[in-house]
Amino acid sequence: MVDNKKILVTGSSRGIGREIALYLAKNGFDIDVHYVGNQSKAQDTADEINALGRNAEILKFDIKNREECASVLSDRLYYGIVLNAGIAKDNVFPALEGDEWDEVIDTNLTGFYNVLKPLVMPMISNRIKGRIITMSSVAALSGNRGQVNYSASKAGIIGATKSLALELAKRGITVNCVAPGVIDTDMIKDVPLDEVKKLIPMKRLGQTREVASLVNYLMSDDASYITGQVISVNGGLYL
């Protein structure tokens, strides 16, 4: 049987994923820290988790590579999975190149399949009443200029989440989606923040801990009757 405290957090070497991994560790979970490019940052996250008295292991794989995902994940069993890893390649649609479309869809949406495919059946077979949490975006709910590819991929995540939730509900496995708004991370370093804040009713950026705390709740026993939901952490943006 699985250690029912172990969670995989994809893209957890930095940003929101790192905060989620640390927040879950502080609340008693062991974490598999995933990365694809920056081993040093992933090791830093793992070291912090170990310092908290929880167990951490780092895993390297590319979520858009199906064979690589299967090779790394097929022998692993989790209580929880957080599909956080993703990319953006922004461009207005008339200038959007084919590779910008393909890489975003292949990473953000096909990555959903590639990561979960080797992990879901073992959860079912071992009768684990676990948790799957996906990460979408307000861009999926409202659209955003220059993000046709990103919005499409994240909207696809919402549909996939809801359908998988229906399939797994009778197994006691919940599947929910978190849709962050504008969160203070490196991903928005080139965004005109003064202009963006004017659009946010709360007039500030979201903090990574505000996303992580929601993920932690959805992982908890208290959230066992919540499934198929999309919860946006957005300060009132695009309500």
Side-chain angles (χ1 to χ4, degrees), residues 1 48 50 63 72 81 119 143 159 190 192 205 218:
M1 290 295 291
E48 286 200 46
N50 289 327
I63 65 171
V72 174
I81 304 158
L119 297 178
D190 297 324
L205 304 180
L218 292 172

Side-chain angles (χ1 to χ4, degrees), residues 16-78:
I16 292 174
R18 180 179 186 277
E19 187 71 29
I20 290 170
L22 292 172
Y23 203 106
L24 291 171
K26 289 173 185 175
N27 283 274
F29 294 102
D30 295 331
I31 307 294
D32 275 0
V33 176
H34 161 259
Y35 77 103
V36 69
N38 195 326
Q39 182 176 352
S40 171
K41 290 288 188 183
Q43 189 61 57
D44 288 345
T45 302
D47 289 344
E48 286 200 46
I49 292 168
N50 289 327
L52 292 168
R54 305 309 309 179
N55 294 320
E57 182 178 354
I58 62 173
L59 302 180
K60 179 181 180 180
F61 57 89
D62 184 348
I63 65 171
K64 67 177 182 292
N65 186 317
R66 188 164 300 157
E67 292 74 22
E68 196 169 300
C69 290
S71 175
V72 174
L73 298 174
S74 289
D75 62 346
R76 293 180 180 272
L77 208 52
Y78 294 105

Side-chain angles (χ1 to χ4, degrees), residues 47-48 54 65 68 74 122 153-154 173 189 196 216 226:
D47 289 344
E48 286 200 46
R54 305 309 309 179
N65 186 317
E68 196 169 300
S74 289
S153 70
K154 292 299 188 177
I173 301 170
K189 64 180 182 299
V196 169
N216 181 68
I226 300 172

